[in-house]
Protein backbone atom coordinates (compact mmCIF):
# COMPACT_ATOMS: atom_id res chain seq x y z
CA UNK A 1 0.00 0.00 0.00
CA UNK A 2 2.87 2.39 0.70
CA UNK A 3 4.15 1.95 -2.84
CA UNK A 4 0.70 2.51 -4.36
CA UNK A 5 0.00 5.52 -2.17
CA UNK A 6 3.42 6.98 -2.95
CA UNK A 7 2.86 6.64 -6.69
CA UNK A 8 -0.59 8.18 -6.41
CA UNK A 9 0.66 11.06 -4.28
CA UNK A 10 3.54 11.84 -6.64
CA UNK A 11 1.21 11.90 -9.64
CA UNK A 12 -1.33 14.12 -7.88
CA UNK A 13 1.40 16.36 -6.42
CA UNK A 14 2.79 17.32 -9.82
CA UNK A 15 -0.66 17.51 -11.39
CA UNK A 16 -1.68 19.88 -8.62
CA UNK A 17 1.37 22.04 -9.32
CA UNK A 18 0.69 22.23 -13.06
CA UNK A 19 -3.05 22.83 -12.76
CA UNK A 20 -2.77 25.51 -10.09
CA UNK A 21 0.07 27.25 -11.87
CA UNK A 22 -1.94 27.43 -15.10
CA UNK A 23 -5.39 28.18 -13.64
CA UNK A 24 -4.23 30.73 -11.08
CA UNK A 25 -1.58 32.41 -13.23
CA UNK A 26 -3.89 35.29 -14.31
CA UNK A 27 -4.71 36.01 -10.66
CA UNK A 28 -1.06 35.76 -9.65
CA UNK A 29 0.18 38.28 -12.20
CA UNK A 30 -2.73 40.69 -11.75
CA UNK A 31 -2.30 40.95 -7.98
CA UNK A 32 0.36 43.19 -6.40
CA UNK A 33 3.54 41.26 -5.66
CA UNK A 34 3.04 40.65 -1.93
CA UNK A 35 -0.65 39.78 -2.24
CA UNK A 36 0.24 37.37 -5.04
CA UNK A 37 1.88 35.15 -2.39
CA UNK A 38 -1.68 33.87 -1.93
CA UNK A 39 -1.23 31.61 -4.97
CA UNK A 40 1.94 29.64 -3.98
CA UNK A 41 0.85 29.54 -0.33
CA UNK A 42 -2.49 28.06 -1.37
CA UNK A 43 -0.59 25.45 -3.39
CA UNK A 44 1.47 24.58 -0.31
CA UNK A 45 -1.61 24.14 1.87
CA UNK A 46 -3.23 21.92 -0.74
CA UNK A 47 -0.10 19.74 -0.78
CA UNK A 48 -0.27 19.32 2.99
CA UNK A 49 -3.88 18.18 2.58
CA UNK A 50 -2.97 15.74 -0.19
CA UNK A 51 -0.06 14.29 1.80
CA UNK A 52 -2.34 13.70 4.77
CA UNK A 53 -5.26 12.23 2.80
CA UNK A 54 -3.29 10.06 0.37
CA UNK A 55 -0.21 9.03 2.36
CA UNK A 56 -1.29 9.65 5.94
CA UNK A 57 1.55 12.01 6.85
CA UNK A 58 0.81 14.88 9.22
CA UNK A 59 2.90 17.45 11.06
CA UNK A 60 2.65 20.15 13.69
CA UNK A 61 4.69 23.29 14.24
CA UNK A 62 6.05 24.25 17.65
CA UNK A 63 7.51 27.64 18.52
CA UNK A 64 5.73 29.94 16.08
CA UNK A 65 5.89 32.55 18.84
CA UNK A 66 9.67 32.62 18.29
CA UNK A 67 9.27 34.14 14.81
CA UNK A 68 10.06 37.87 15.11
CA UNK A 69 8.44 40.67 13.19
CA UNK A 70 10.33 42.40 10.40
CA UNK A 71 13.40 41.08 8.58
CA UNK A 72 15.26 37.97 9.68
CA UNK A 73 17.05 34.93 8.27
CA UNK A 74 15.00 31.73 8.44
CA UNK A 75 17.44 28.82 8.81
CA UNK A 76 15.79 25.35 8.65
CA UNK A 77 17.36 21.94 8.48
CA UNK A 78 17.17 20.63 4.91
CA UNK A 79 16.39 16.95 4.37
CA UNK A 80 13.69 16.74 1.75
CA UNK A 81 11.90 18.55 -1.04
CA UNK A 82 9.11 18.96 1.53
CA UNK A 83 11.02 21.53 3.57
CA UNK A 84 11.86 23.52 0.44
CA UNK A 85 8.29 24.83 0.33
CA UNK A 86 6.27 23.55 3.29
CA UNK A 87 6.67 26.45 5.74
CA UNK A 88 5.92 29.29 3.32
CA UNK A 89 2.36 29.88 4.67
CA UNK A 90 3.79 30.78 8.08
CA UNK A 91 6.19 33.41 6.73
CA UNK A 92 5.02 36.89 5.83
CA UNK A 93 7.05 37.78 2.73
CA UNK A 94 9.95 35.37 2.24
CA UNK A 95 12.53 35.16 -0.51
CA UNK A 96 15.40 32.91 -1.54
CA UNK A 97 18.86 33.35 -2.98
CA UNK A 98 18.71 30.77 -5.76
CA UNK A 99 20.56 29.67 -8.85
CA UNK A 100 19.73 31.87 -11.81
CA UNK A 101 18.92 28.91 -14.06
CA UNK A 102 15.61 28.51 -12.21
CA UNK A 103 14.47 31.87 -13.57
CA UNK A 104 14.83 30.51 -17.11
CA UNK A 105 12.10 27.87 -16.62
CA UNK A 106 8.93 28.94 -18.48
CA UNK A 107 6.12 30.07 -16.19
CA UNK A 108 7.86 28.86 -12.99
CA UNK A 109 10.68 31.30 -13.63
CA UNK A 110 8.17 34.11 -14.11
CA UNK A 111 6.71 33.32 -10.70
CA UNK A 112 10.20 33.61 -9.19
CA UNK A 113 10.92 36.89 -10.93
CA UNK A 114 7.65 38.46 -9.76
CA UNK A 115 8.49 37.64 -6.14
CA UNK A 116 11.89 39.31 -6.51
CA UNK A 117 13.94 36.27 -5.61
CA UNK A 118 17.69 36.91 -5.80
CA UNK A 119 19.30 34.86 -8.59
CA UNK A 120 22.98 34.00 -8.36
CA UNK A 121 25.47 32.66 -10.86
CA UNK A 122 27.28 30.08 -8.77
CA UNK A 123 30.37 30.39 -10.94
CA UNK A 124 30.46 34.16 -10.47
CA UNK A 125 33.00 35.98 -8.42
CA UNK A 126 33.74 39.55 -7.47
CA UNK A 127 31.22 42.13 -8.63
CA UNK A 128 28.51 39.58 -9.43
CA UNK A 129 28.49 38.33 -5.84
CA UNK A 130 28.61 41.90 -4.56
CA UNK A 131 25.49 42.63 -6.61
CA UNK A 132 23.74 39.60 -5.08
CA UNK A 133 24.51 40.86 -1.58
CA UNK A 134 23.31 44.34 -2.48
CA UNK A 135 20.01 42.99 -3.81
CA UNK A 136 19.62 40.85 -0.69
CA UNK A 137 20.16 43.86 1.57
CA UNK A 138 17.60 45.83 -0.43
CA UNK A 139 14.97 43.10 -0.01
CA UNK A 140 15.70 42.79 3.70
CA UNK A 141 15.36 46.54 4.09
CA UNK A 142 11.70 46.24 3.07
CA UNK A 143 11.04 43.82 5.95
CA UNK A 144 11.31 40.52 4.09
CA UNK A 145 12.58 37.17 5.39
CA UNK A 146 15.50 35.38 3.75
CA UNK A 147 15.26 31.57 3.71
CA UNK A 148 18.69 29.94 3.89
CA UNK A 149 19.55 26.28 4.47
CA UNK A 150 22.72 26.42 6.62
CA UNK A 151 24.05 23.10 5.35
CA UNK A 152 23.53 24.16 1.75
CA UNK A 153 22.05 20.91 0.48
CA UNK A 154 19.73 18.13 1.58
CA UNK A 155 21.18 15.89 4.29
CA UNK A 156 19.70 12.58 5.46
CA UNK A 157 18.20 12.47 8.97
CA UNK A 158 20.84 11.97 11.64
CA UNK A 159 23.74 12.78 9.34
CA UNK A 160 26.69 14.63 10.94
CA UNK A 161 26.21 18.40 10.56
CA UNK A 162 28.00 20.16 7.71
CA UNK A 163 27.12 23.82 8.17
CA UNK A 164 28.54 26.22 5.59
CA UNK A 165 30.24 29.44 6.65
CA UNK A 166 28.12 31.40 4.18
CA UNK A 167 25.32 31.84 6.71
CA UNK A 168 27.79 33.42 9.16
CA UNK A 169 28.79 35.94 6.49
CA UNK A 170 25.13 36.74 5.79
CA UNK A 171 24.47 37.12 9.51
CA UNK A 172 27.42 39.52 9.81
CA UNK A 173 26.56 41.60 6.74
CA UNK A 174 22.75 41.71 7.03
CA UNK A 175 22.71 42.41 10.79
CA UNK A 176 19.40 40.66 11.42
CA UNK A 177 18.31 37.79 13.73
CA UNK A 178 18.57 34.19 12.57
CA UNK A 179 15.71 31.79 13.35
CA UNK A 180 16.88 28.13 13.52
CA UNK A 181 14.39 25.38 12.67
CA UNK A 182 14.76 21.67 13.46
CA UNK A 183 12.66 18.89 11.88
CA UNK A 184 12.87 15.46 10.27
CA UNK A 185 10.67 15.40 7.16
CA UNK A 186 13.34 13.27 5.51
CA UNK A 187 12.08 10.28 7.49
CA UNK A 188 8.73 10.56 5.69
CA UNK A 189 9.74 12.10 2.36
CA UNK A 190 13.27 10.77 1.77
CA UNK A 191 15.58 12.59 -0.59
CA UNK A 192 16.06 11.00 -4.03
CA UNK A 193 13.31 8.44 -3.42
CA UNK A 194 9.72 8.29 -4.61
CA UNK A 195 8.41 6.58 -1.45
CA UNK A 196 6.33 8.58 1.03
CA UNK A 197 5.74 7.17 4.51
CA UNK A 198 2.76 7.77 6.83
CA UNK A 199 3.16 9.12 10.34
CA UNK A 200 3.43 12.33 12.31
CA UNK A 201 6.37 14.66 12.96
CA UNK A 202 7.11 18.01 14.54
CA UNK A 203 8.68 21.16 13.15
CA UNK A 204 10.38 23.08 15.97
CA UNK A 205 11.03 26.81 15.47
CA UNK A 206 13.73 27.82 17.94
CA UNK A 207 14.32 31.20 19.61
CA UNK A 208 16.16 33.58 17.26
CA UNK A 209 19.87 34.19 17.55
CA UNK A 210 19.94 37.95 17.82
CA UNK A 211 22.11 40.11 15.60
CA UNK A 212 25.49 41.41 16.72
CA UNK A 213 27.46 38.32 17.67
CA UNK A 214 30.91 37.53 16.32
CA UNK A 215 30.32 35.43 13.16
CA UNK A 216 32.35 32.47 14.44
CA UNK A 217 30.56 32.50 17.79
CA UNK A 218 27.24 32.81 15.98
CA UNK A 219 27.92 29.79 13.78
CA UNK A 220 28.96 27.71 16.78
CA UNK A 221 25.76 28.65 18.62
CA UNK A 222 23.59 28.00 15.55
CA UNK A 223 25.02 24.50 15.17
CA UNK A 224 24.70 23.74 18.87
CA UNK A 225 21.07 24.80 19.31
CA UNK A 226 19.86 23.37 16.00
CA UNK A 227 21.57 20.01 16.41
CA UNK A 228 20.46 19.65 20.04
CA UNK A 229 16.84 20.20 18.99
CA UNK A 230 17.35 17.94 15.98
CA UNK A 231 18.59 15.10 18.21
CA UNK A 232 15.62 15.51 20.55
CA UNK A 233 13.18 15.42 17.66
CA UNK A 234 14.88 12.42 16.08
CA UNK A 235 14.36 10.39 19.25
CA UNK A 236 10.78 11.66 19.66
CA UNK A 237 9.85 11.03 16.03
CA UNK A 238 11.21 7.49 15.93
CA UNK A 239 9.47 6.58 19.21
CA UNK A 240 6.18 8.01 17.91
CA UNK A 241 6.53 6.27 14.53
CA UNK A 242 8.05 2.81 15.18
CA UNK A 243 6.94 1.63 11.74
CA UNK A 244 9.34 3.96 9.90
CA UNK A 245 12.21 2.42 7.90
CA UNK A 246 15.22 4.38 9.15
CA UNK A 247 18.17 5.41 6.96
CA UNK A 248 21.63 4.28 8.16
CA UNK A 249 22.48 7.82 9.30
CA UNK A 250 19.47 7.93 11.63
CA UNK A 251 20.24 4.48 13.04
CA UNK A 252 23.83 5.48 13.69
CA UNK A 253 22.85 8.75 15.38
CA UNK A 254 20.32 6.97 17.58
CA UNK A 255 23.03 4.50 18.66
CA UNK A 256 25.32 7.42 19.50
CA UNK A 257 22.62 9.17 21.50
CA UNK A 258 21.85 5.94 23.32
CA UNK A 259 25.50 5.51 24.25
CA UNK A 260 25.70 9.14 25.36
CA UNK A 261 22.72 8.70 27.70
Amino acid sequence: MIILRSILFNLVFYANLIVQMIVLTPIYFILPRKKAWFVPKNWVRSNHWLLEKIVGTTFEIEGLENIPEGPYIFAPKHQSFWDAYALLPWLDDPFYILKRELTWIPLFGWYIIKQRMVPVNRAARGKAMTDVMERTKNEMATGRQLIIYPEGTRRPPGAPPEYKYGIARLYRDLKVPVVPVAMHPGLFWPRRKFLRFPGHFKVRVLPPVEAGMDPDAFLKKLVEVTEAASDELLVETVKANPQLPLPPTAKQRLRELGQAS
Side-chain angles (χ1 to χ4, degrees), residues 10 14 78-82 151-157 159 162 185-197 249:
N10 288 324
Y14 288 107
H78 193 20
Q79 298 180 350
S80 166
F81 183 64
W82 184 89
E151 294 177 276
T153 188
R154 289 176 296 174
R155 304 274 294 155
E162 291 187 358
L187 293 172
F188 302 85
W189 185 321
R191 62 176 192 158
R192 302 180 189 139
K193 293 183 179 180
F194 81 93
L195 291 175
R196 308 287 178 260
F197 298 103
T249 50

Side-chain angles (χ1 to χ4, degrees), residues 76-124:
K77 292 284 286 184
H78 193 20
Q79 298 180 350
S80 166
F81 183 64
W82 184 89
D83 53 63
Y85 69 83
L87 301 180
L88 290 177
W90 289 272
L91 303 180
D92 178 44
D93 189 16
F95 72 103
Y96 297 86
I97 299 174
L98 42 75
K99 57 184 180 181
R100 63 173 181 172
E101 288 80 4
L102 292 176
T103 65
W104 301 344
I105 300 174
L107 199 57
F108 179 76
W110 306 340
Y111 271 68
I112 290 174
I113 292 169
K114 181 177 176 71
Q115 286 301 334
R116 296 206 309 260
M117 305 299 175
V118 178
V120 58
N121 180 1
R122 293 185 175 183

